[in-house]
Amino acid sequence: MAKDTAAVHAGRMSAQHFGVVNTPVYRASTVLYPDLATLEAGNVPYKYGRLGTPTSQSFEEAVTELEGGARAFVCPSGLGAISFALLATLGAGDHLLMTDSCYGPVRPLCDRVLRRFGIETTYYDPLIGGDIARLMRPNTRAVFCESPGSLTFEVQDIPAIAAAAHAGGAAVLMDNTWATPLFFNAFEHGVDISIQAATKYVGGHADVMIGYVCVNQANVKRFADAQHDLGLYASGDDCFLALRGLRTMPVRLARHRETALTLARWLSQRPEVSRVLHPALEGDPGHAIWKRDFRGSSGLFGVALKPCSHSAFAAFMNGVKLFGLGYSWGGYESLIVPAHITRSVRKFDADGPVVRIHAGLEDPNDLIADLEQAFAAMGAAQ
Ligand SMILES: *Cc1c(COP(=O)(O)O)cnc(C)c1O
């Protein structure tokens, strides 16, 4: 079944809900048992709100099918999904290899929380490929990837990294939020544990915080136990919104992709721009691997501006009218934010400010006109 079809049909349970197309919002803590024997046997589909409802089950089943994994676990946010995956995988004395291009807040998670539990993190060059074998230690239990990287958009050679990780007995975890399972099939490329900040494209409307982890068969028991033990939960309302967003994700992503490419090509011709960071552009250093492994590109990319005064930069950022200034992305609206790049292994080369753009669902010509007038304001402030 094509992914677009799966996005429409997966995880539906209309027959159990009077034919209603969408699984309704179940708000529950207590679930009542008909008698003592049933309670003691415990073989009912829903036991207690925290342990799952039809709404969370619909969402988990839908994303499992889209990912092509064995089972998915809903989490309270994307970062919550990352911390859940790392805590489920690692223990005291273990070593973690973390890409230097990871989503920023993952660093304090490694450097504060995991360190406190006796887990050591080594950051690695996102472009290391199969040479990651040289960083593997006997206690390396996990290799964490994100491709393209947050803010800098380096494309990782996931199959080469996965082969080296597996040879050393480590699990491969990947933050696949940029591509979603529609544009990068994590499990086909050697990933064991696929993580999604569903806050972004799955939700798609800038109004829900949610995440999930989808695992292969070998990790189902470990992750089911960890979810149970950690008490992770997402509300029925949030599962409902995420599932509602998922149904239209393929059509939204197609538009995000086209508009981002239009903006990226236009920006790369601008005199104010030194480099556009978008792996689907022919000249991008990650283009060859992106083309080999990905089925599409999404709406998020970076722009390195030529050196300019801070007041000129401010005139540009304050000059845009259709692009909102704010964090997160993946909603229907266009966004722009300054990129604060933290790297410990490979310094990112930029002598001017770097911004991150999310191309929304507006008409691309209006977005270009908006950027054009913001560049004019920038020129006037130079
Ligand atoms: C936003 C983001 C996250 C975190 O998701 P939240 O739902 O905001 O916690 C994780 N990874 C990537 C790549 C992100 O962009």
Side-chain angles (χ1 to χ4, degrees):
M1 197 194 287
K3 298 260 183 191
D4 291 19
T5 310
V8 170
H9 286 275
R12 276 166 47 180
M13 35 176 85
S14 310
Q16 291 98 297
H17 296 100
F18 307 99
V20 167
V21 172
N22 290 337
T23 308
V25 174
Y26 277 80
R27 294 189 144 276
S29 54
T30 300
V31 177
L32 299 175
Y33 296 76
D35 51 42
L36 181 65
T38 311
L39 185 143
E40 285 175 344
N43 57 352
V44 289
Y46 310 105
K47 294 175 181 158
Y48 182 54
R50 192 183 67 226
L51 305 178
T53 65
T55 322
S56 64
Q57 189 193 347
S58 270
F59 177 64
E60 289 177 340
E61 285 180 6
V63 297
T64 301
E65 191 162 332
L66 217 59
E67 291 270 353
R71 196 167 151 191
F73 302 90
V74 66
C75 295
S77 69
L79 185 59
I82 294 170
S83 67
F84 167 53
L86 289 169
L87 289 172
T89 305
L90 297 163
D94 287 346
H95 175 233
L96 163 68
L97 285 171
M98 173 59 66
T99 180
D100 205 26
S101 59
C102 64
Y103 174 64
V106 174
R107 282 175 189 269
L109 166 63
C110 296
D111 300 341
R112 293 204 292 238
V113 182
L114 296 186
R115 172 176 295 169
R116 207 149 32 77
F117 288 100
I119 297 157
E120 190 188 346
T121 301
T122 303
Y123 294 93
Y124 68 87
D125 181 344
L127 302 178
I128 197 167
D131 282 347
I132 200 161
R134 286 195 273 108
L135 298 180
M136 295 285 296
R137 302 180 193 165
N139 63 336
T140 307
R141 287 269 74 83
V143 176
F144 193 106
C145 307
E146 185 187 329
S147 181
S150 270
L151 304 178
T152 43
F153 299 91
E154 300 94 336
V155 181
Q156 297 196 266
D157 190 341
I158 302 290
I161 291 172
H166 290 152
V172 178
L173 293 77
M174 180 178 180
D175 182 335
N176 192 27
T177 303
W178 184 84
T180 83
L182 296 175
F183 290 156
F184 184 81
N185 194 325
F187 294 105
E188 277 175 12
H189 291 88
V191 172
D192 304 295
I193 295 151
S194 173
I195 300 162
Q196 186 74 205
T199 303
K200 310 291 167 59
Y201 283 127
V202 176
H205 295 73
D207 53 8
V208 59
M209 302 291 311
I210 196 164
Y212 71 79
V213 179
C214 189
V215 303
N216 58 11
Q217 194 57 48
N219 284 288
V220 168
K221 170 87 170 72
R222 199 179 173 95
F223 274 69
D225 287 348
Q227 187 193 40
H228 177 275
D229 299 349
L230 289 167
L232 293 178
Y233 161 85
S235 81
D237 302 80
D238 292 345
C239 292
F240 179 90
L241 284 175
L243 196 50
R244 194 183 213 266
L246 185 79
R247 303 303 181 198
T248 58
M249 187 166 72
V251 288
R252 287 186 285 107
L253 267 185
R255 175 67 177 252
H256 287 299
R257 175 187 63 202
E258 288 315 310
T259 300
L261 281 167
T262 302
L263 296 184
R265 290 197 182 103
W266 182 81
L267 282 160
S268 60
Q269 304 301 316
R270 288 293 306 191
E272 299 88 349
V273 169
S274 97
R275 189 151 74 92
V276 175
L277 315 169
H278 190 316
L281 292 187
E282 300 266 316
D284 190 89
H287 186 68
I289 293 182
W290 172 80
K291 206 169 165 180
R292 183 192 71 187
D293 293 347
F294 287 69
R295 279 187 301 247
S297 56
S298 67
L300 194 75
F301 62 98
V303 182
L305 297 172
K306 288 185 182 153
C308 61
S309 68
H310 190 263
S311 56
F313 179 58
F316 173 68
M317 297 297 280
N318 292 328
V320 288
K321 306 277 185 287
L322 295 176
F323 289 83
L325 178 66
Y327 293 104
S328 199
W329 48 278
Y332 55 84
E333 81 290 20
S334 290
L335 294 170
I336 188 165
V337 277
H340 298 296
I341 301 166
T342 311
R343 292 289 179 269
S344 45
V345 180
R346 179 195 284 256
K347 195 182 164 297
F348 184 75
D349 252 350
D351 37 18
V354 179
V355 297
R356 189 188 70 185
I357 287 180
H358 179 249
L361 302 180
E362 301 93 336
D363 187 302
N365 292 322
D366 288 336
L367 295 175
I368 285 176
D370 195 33
L371 291 170
E372 195 155 34
Q373 58 86 27
F375 277 134
M378 183 184 190
Q382 201 57 265

